[in-house]
Amino acid sequence: MKTLKLFSGTRLSTGLTIGCVLLGLQIVLIVFAPWLSPYSPVDADPLNVLQAPSWQHWFGTDVSGMDILSRVIYATRINLLISITAVAAAFVIGVPIGLLIGFYRNTVSTLVMRVFDFIQSFPVFVIGMALVSVMGQEIWNVAIVLAVLFVPMFARLIRGEVLSLRDRPFISAARCSGATDGAIMFRHILPNAITPAIVQISISIGMAILLTAGLSFVGAGVRMPTPEWGLMVANGAQQMILGVWWAALFPGLAIVVSVLTFAVLGDALKHIAAPASRGEK
């Protein structure tokens, strides 16, 4: 048992350290992008089209002559801004909704759940494309669409926890002491139900990054010349048949690293929130 605890603790510490280091790197890129980028991320240079990686352009240039390294750095701002904003909005909206529909089991709660069923019955990517096409290909519109898609997930998580807590003895004791429904929900139930939703935040940010990049890849996300990883991969993929591998490779690696960051952090948070899963009885 001691060996199991030591192994699990080491794995948790390593994962958390890796996740924090990768997240710190991305924060540095976001904050210091103007100083770290050797060129403008949106200025085309027809004289340096599709230049291979070199000392002048470390990641090469794309079909418009824009420096790929500079665009990858600035795209960190765009992709994380969209993803974090969308997930934060979904969390703020979904948690209270899940709390209410879990605590009050009535016609309104049933109707809300049917609306969530309707939203989640469509493939996430397809409904995302449809909503962005209707609302317009702007950064904030993409964030709003992703928030709409993630609200049902957070609401369902909280609702499931509330349903398991609302009939517990300590809730009955709170009722007997004269606590109002609001006090019971926000003082007694929510603190005990919020942990799964908090853990889900990190995982959802990774999903949002993939969805943002995917929407841009198929032309339903942000538009040129905005530096965005999925858009860069889409533009670079068209040149791969000509042997221009760098235009799609480096933004693709940026997506992998960013998603991996939040996946690792989410796994670490899950283990921290559930000690029993690490053998800590």
Side-chain angles (χ1 to χ4, degrees):
M1 183 63 70
K2 291 182 178 179
T3 303
L4 176 61
K5 289 183 179 180
L6 178 60
F7 174 77
S8 300
T10 302
R11 185 181 64 178
L12 172 62
S13 177
T14 302
L16 187 60
T17 301
I18 293 174
C20 289
V21 169
L22 293 176
L23 179 61
L25 175 61
Q26 293 176 70
I27 292 174
V28 169
L29 294 180
I30 292 172
V31 175
F32 298 102
W35 295 275
L36 295 175
S37 301
Y39 301 93
S40 168
V42 294
D43 290 344
D45 184 1
L47 300 180
N48 288 294
V49 172
L50 298 178
Q51 294 291 313
S54 63
W55 287 110
Q56 186 178 7
H57 299 281
W58 288 9
F59 286 3
T61 62
D62 62 13
V63 69
S64 300
M66 292 184 283
D67 182 67
I68 295 175
L69 173 59
S70 300
R71 288 179 61 78
V72 167
I73 292 174
Y74 270 92
T76 307
R77 284 183 170 184
I78 302 299
N79 285 78
L80 291 190
L81 174 65
I82 292 174
S83 302
I84 293 176
T85 300
V87 173
F91 180 85
V92 171
I93 296 172
V95 167
I97 292 177
L99 184 61
L100 291 171
I101 63 177
F103 190 81
Y104 296 109
R105 290 182 288 188
N106 50 33
T107 304
V108 175
S109 299
T110 302
L111 179 61
V112 172
M113 288 302 298
R114 297 295 77 77
V115 172
F116 288 163
D117 290 340
F118 177 77
I119 294 175
Q120 294 184 308
S121 65
F122 292 93
V124 174
F125 194 73
V126 173
I127 192 172
M129 289 176 57
L131 291 176
V132 171
S133 299
V134 171
M135 299 177 63
Q137 294 176 257
E138 301 294 338
I139 292 175
W140 294 114
N141 287 343
V142 175
I144 292 172
V145 167
L146 293 181
V148 171
L149 295 178
F150 283 117
V151 164
M153 179 173 57
F154 284 105
R156 285 183 180 277
L157 276 174
I158 295 297
R159 177 179 178 271
E161 292 295 316
V162 172
L163 290 176
S164 68
L165 291 169
R166 66 190 306 273
D167 296 324
R168 295 283 183 87
F170 73 95
I171 299 299
S172 301
R175 291 184 186 278
C176 293
S177 66
T180 62
D181 286 351
I184 292 174
M185 283 190 291
F186 291 98
R187 293 182 184 177
H188 301 283
I189 293 182
L190 184 59
N192 291 286
I194 198 69
T195 300
I198 294 176
V199 172
Q200 185 64 35
I201 288 176
S202 181
I203 300 172
S204 297
I205 291 175
M207 294 172 58
I209 292 171
L210 284 176
L211 284 173
T212 301
L215 290 172
S216 297
F217 183 84
V218 299
V222 299
R223 295 175 292 186
M224 286 289 289
T226 304
E228 196 281 325
W229 292 328
L231 186 60
M232 295 172 66
V233 171
N235 292 334
Q238 301 173 10
Q239 310 300 324
M240 291 189 70
I241 193 174
L242 303 177
V244 182
W245 50 267
W246 57 87
L249 174 64
F250 292 113
L253 289 177
I255 296 173
V256 171
V257 171
S258 189
V259 173
L260 177 64
T261 299
F262 292 100
V264 170
L265 288 176
D267 184 66
L269 288 174
K270 180 178 69 175
H271 282 77
I272 291 172
S277 67
R278 308 197 307 268
E280 297 178 7
K281 301 292 185 179

